[in-house]
Amino acid sequence: MRRLLIGLVTGALFVAATACGSSDSSGSDDKDKASGGTTTVKVGVIPIIDVAPLYLGQKKGFYSERGIKLSLTSAQGGAAIVPGVVSGQFDFGFSNMTSLLIAQSKNVPVKAVVNGVASTGKQGADFAELAVKKGSPLKSAKDVEGKKVAANTLNNICDTSTRESVRKDGGDPSKVKFVEMPFDQMPAALEGGQVDAACVVEPALASIKAQGGTSIASLFVDVSPDLTVAMFFSSQNYVQKNPEMVKKFQAATIESLEYADKHPAEVREIITTYTKIPKPLVESLVLPRWPAEPDRRSIERLAELGQQDGLFEKKPDLDKLLP
């Protein structure tokens, strides 16, 4: 049964893109009026539990009551969604803060519009962990010196947070070797020995635990207990041309975040509708927090660490990036 659950999880951790499209996003407010009050809004997301409030809000009608029809498309990570938003492929996107900080430091015209997801702040009980397989000789973050660590995107939040965990544990963060791969491939990569550890989030984390794996560090907690991990964002062009739609999306998403934070059982249920995780395993997932507002101090800390790791060409301007 355990093998069956593992196979189902690792083979099918994905989000199904909704089968509805949208025309050019530059005139959404006008189309909103011309189409009977409903506008299809394209959103780039990542196939992880972080975005559950979006699906839950869609189900509860928080978006439709504001004239929004969501069209959700999945990508490997925030770094892949950023160019999609800037090019107009997506009206909004979901991205971790480091990807947005990197983009802003390069003068990429992105603008965070509403909060996305936050760490639980609990060591050993977060939705993102530095995980190893069953029987691994690695027991703490310091032990990954000179080892291969899986990250969904290189030179990004996994690198920064892993290095911080290693640094806090008395190790040398410069000696960690990162290997890029999607989250859903990490359980098999750990089991097969392609990597020694993984910066992994739910639901892939639950799969690793189902194989007997364990956590050796809570990366996001090590950065900041109240870490704002990701936010929804848009392009500066879209924000300028569609202020009313941005306000509607913000309001609907805030309502969705607040609802998700108060209704964990419904969050677990909605996860089964856009992933193919077996229900018994869904119950074991560690859910993140979904505060309505981002924590600026934690974002400043991410920026400091990113600068320390050489991720930025110049210091990001948080006033220009954040809402």
Side-chain angles (χ1 to χ4, degrees), residues 4-85:
L4 176 60
L5 289 176
I6 292 170
L8 286 169
V9 174
T10 58
L13 298 178
F14 67 95
V15 176
T18 50
C20 53
S22 170
S23 52
D24 180 21
S25 63
S26 62
S28 291
D29 287 348
D30 292 336
K31 287 184 299 177
D32 186 34
K33 298 173 183 177
S35 60
T38 299
T39 301
T40 297
V41 172
K42 300 170 292 182
V43 186
V45 294
I46 309 172
I48 48 181
I49 64 171
D50 306 34
V51 297
L54 215 61
Y55 290 87
L56 190 56
Q58 186 179 42
K59 178 183 178 181
K60 302 299 292 186
F62 300 154
Y63 291 92
S64 61
E65 68 186 22
R66 292 175 172 87
I68 297 174
K69 181 178 181 181
L70 293 178
S71 173
L72 307 176
T73 303
S74 65
Q76 180 172 325
I81 294 175
V82 169
V85 169

Side-chain angles (χ1 to χ4, degrees), residues 200-230:
V200 64
V201 300
E202 296 286 18
L205 177 58
S207 178
I208 292 171
K209 290 178 179 178
Q211 296 173 358
T214 57
S215 165
I216 60 173
S218 297
L219 318 99
F220 292 167
V221 181
D222 285 340
V223 173
S224 174
D226 297 313
L227 182 64
T228 294
V229 178

Side-chain angles (χ1 to χ4, degrees), residues 214-283:
T214 57
S215 165
I216 60 173
S218 297
L219 318 99
F220 292 167
V221 181
D222 285 340
V223 173
S224 174
D226 297 313
L227 182 64
T228 294
V229 178
M231 293 184 69
F232 290 95
F233 71 103
S234 189
S235 67
Q236 292 178 5
N237 180 59
Y238 186 91
V239 171
Q240 291 169 1
K241 292 186 176 181
N242 303 280
E244 292 305 314
M245 180 53 66
V246 171
K247 289 178 183 178
K248 292 177 182 179
F249 182 80
Q250 287 172 327
T253 302
I254 287 173
E255 187 172 5
S256 299
L257 294 170
E258 291 176 337
Y259 190 89
D261 222 28
K262 296 176 182 177
H263 298 83
E266 290 186 49
V267 169
R268 295 184 190 280
E269 182 179 350
I270 202 72
I271 290 170
T272 66
T273 69
Y274 69 91
T275 73
K276 291 191 176 181
I277 310 171
K279 285 191 176 182
L281 202 57
V282 168
E283 294 305 314

